[in-house]
Amino acid sequence: RATQYTCMLLSYLIEHKADKEKLVMKLKQLESSMSSGRKMFRLGNMVHALVAARRTTQLPDVVPRFCLTASNLTRALYFVCDTVLWLKSVGLQPDIDKPKWRNWATKCYYFSLLMNLARDWYEISWRLEQAVQEEKTKENSFWDKHHQELNSVKCDGLHGFLLLLFQILKRHPPLLLDLVKNLCDLSGPLDTLGIYKTNPGVIGFCGILSSLVGILTLASPQLKLKQ
């Protein structure tokens, strides 16, 4: 995935240079190959998404339960569409309407990301409310000892809110990384669906950043936001 988006970004950056036509073509071919390969590697991920959806239905808190279950179910539908597109790309089902299935896949992926972002905002809101309450009561000695920066922040006005938000995300790296990854992943569907048009350079950069976050959370599982 990181290779695919790196090729997208590089081809966008050099496509207007006169002596780089062959290199741009090779980068686009490699990007296409990586995309097709990823579709093949994702075969069967629908089962994983359904298992994850079943697991998230057991969460005690209603908001994360709804958001994560909806996200996993729509992600499963996305993988179904993705499999159909793969069958088209390898020639097993040449009569498939590619634009229609691609549009469905993008919409499912887009909704899944929105549900993930809703869960992230719920986590942030909960921690913001907790921080404000701790600021007011000063009853928690652990908070006073380990979160002195938060205690000094007043959540009145936009500046205070942003500073408090910064401190919250700084104190919770898994939440910050999950938020960054979901926001970066959103650039592709927004462009494909015509909601907010960008360019391959922006999509490629966001894809690289998202992929690096994913690699980081795989290498260090403690940085992955727990369900």
Side-chain angles (χ1 to χ4, degrees):
R1 187 174 189 268
T3 302
Q4 176 188 342
Y5 284 112
T6 299
C7 291
M8 181 185 294
L9 177 60
L10 290 176
S11 63
Y12 173 79
L13 293 175
I14 66 175
E15 66 178 348
H16 297 299
K17 296 185 178 181
D19 57 340
K20 300 294 183 180
E21 291 89 350
K22 291 184 178 180
L23 179 57
V24 170
M25 184 177 298
K26 289 181 180 180
L27 287 171
K28 290 185 176 181
Q29 289 175 346
L30 180 58
E31 177 196 337
S32 178
S33 298
M34 290 292 112
S35 178
S36 298
R38 289 181 58 221
K39 282 181 170 56
M40 184 186 69
F41 292 140
R42 286 198 296 258
L43 294 177
N45 276 14
M46 177 185 66
V47 177
H48 175 75
L50 291 174
V51 171
R54 182 180 179 182
R55 184 173 63 250
T56 53
T57 58
Q58 308 300 319
L59 293 175
D61 200 333
V62 62
V63 175
R65 181 168 70 240
F66 171 79
C67 291
L68 292 176
T69 301
S71 173
N72 286 319
L73 288 176
T74 50
R75 196 170 182 83
L77 292 175
Y78 161 73
F79 287 130
V80 171
C81 298
D82 198 55
T83 300
V84 174
L85 290 171
W86 178 78
L87 293 174
K88 166 74 174 180
S89 67
V90 298
L92 293 177
Q93 292 291 336
D95 298 330
I96 289 173
D97 188 345
K98 184 176 179 179
K100 180 181 71 174
W101 282 94
R102 186 188 180 198
N103 185 58
W104 287 351
T106 305
K107 287 181 178 179
C108 290
Y109 185 49
Y110 176 61
F111 185 78
S112 176
L113 289 174
L114 290 181
M115 290 295 97
N116 287 337
L117 285 169
R119 186 271 181 112
D120 288 340
W121 179 245
Y122 173 79
E123 295 284 344
I124 292 171
S125 299
W126 178 77
R127 287 181 168 85
L128 284 171
E129 183 179 354
Q130 187 182 48
V132 171
Q133 290 300 322
E134 293 292 348
E135 172 70 18
K136 290 179 179 178
T137 61
K138 305 286 187 176
E139 291 177 354
N140 192 322
S141 59
F142 178 83
W143 186 274
D144 293 336
K145 180 178 179 181
H146 296 282
H147 299 273
Q148 294 177 358
E149 293 180 62
L150 286 178
N151 286 335
S152 64
V153 173
K154 303 296 183 182
C155 195
D156 51 346
L158 180 61
H159 181 268
F161 169 78
L162 292 176
L163 187 56
L164 182 58
L165 177 62
F166 171 78
Q167 295 298 338
I168 290 290
L169 294 175
K170 180 180 177 182
R171 295 291 181 179
H172 299 88
L175 180 56
L176 172 61
L177 292 175
D178 195 70
L179 180 64
V180 169
K181 187 177 190 306
N182 288 324
L183 288 174
C184 288
D185 287 340
L186 204 59
S187 62
L190 287 176
D191 182 80
T192 303
L193 296 174
I195 299 173
Y196 184 78
K197 300 296 291 185
T198 54
N199 56 62
V202 173
I203 297 173
F205 175 78
C206 290
I208 293 171
L209 184 57
S210 171
S211 300
L212 292 177
V213 171
I215 292 171
L216 180 61
T217 55
L218 284 174
S220 302
Q222 69 273 14
L223 293 177
K224 186 176 180 62
L225 186 62
K226 300 297 187 293
Q227 293 186 349

